[in-house]
């Protein structure tokens, strides 16, 4: 993914999902986010090393949600599902 493609994918996204191509849990996380209607950018963690380092991502899937003060990270499908359940309750 080129820097331009990455910038375009992140534009307007409320969250970034760091994934790897062979990760079955990443596919499950994407399905959950899609079903919930979350606007997110899916980024291959190995292709976007600078962004991965910026957010301190060390595993896939990791969802980074931008907040007014910065960002929050959710690691793994269960954490991502917990975030979705919390946002639905608001």
């Amino acid at each position: 993914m080129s820097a331009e493609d990455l910038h375009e994918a992140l534009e307007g996204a409320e969250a970034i999902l760091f994934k790897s191509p062979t990760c079955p849990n990443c596919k499950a996380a994407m399905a959950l986010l899609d079903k919930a209607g979350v606007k997110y950018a899916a980024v291959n963690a190995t292709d976007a090393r600078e962004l991965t380092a910026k957010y301190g991502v060390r595993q896939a899937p990791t969802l980074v949600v931008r907040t007014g003060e910065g960002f929050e990270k959710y690691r793994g499908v269960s954490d991502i599902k917990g975030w979705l359940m919390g946002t639905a309750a608001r």
Side-chain angles (χ1 to χ4, degrees), residues 36-82:
V38 174
K39 187 172 183 180
Y40 69 97
V43 175
N44 187 330
T46 56
D47 289 346
R49 293 183 194 272
E50 187 175 309
L51 196 61
T52 302
K54 175 182 176 180
Y55 290 109
V57 172
R58 300 197 185 279
Q59 76 179 58
T62 295
L63 183 69
V64 174
V65 179
R66 297 174 182 164
T67 64
E69 319 68 64
F71 65 91
E72 295 179 11
K73 287 192 290 191
Y74 300 91
R75 297 170 191 91
V77 174
S78 61
D79 281 357
I80 293 168
K81 190 174 192 177

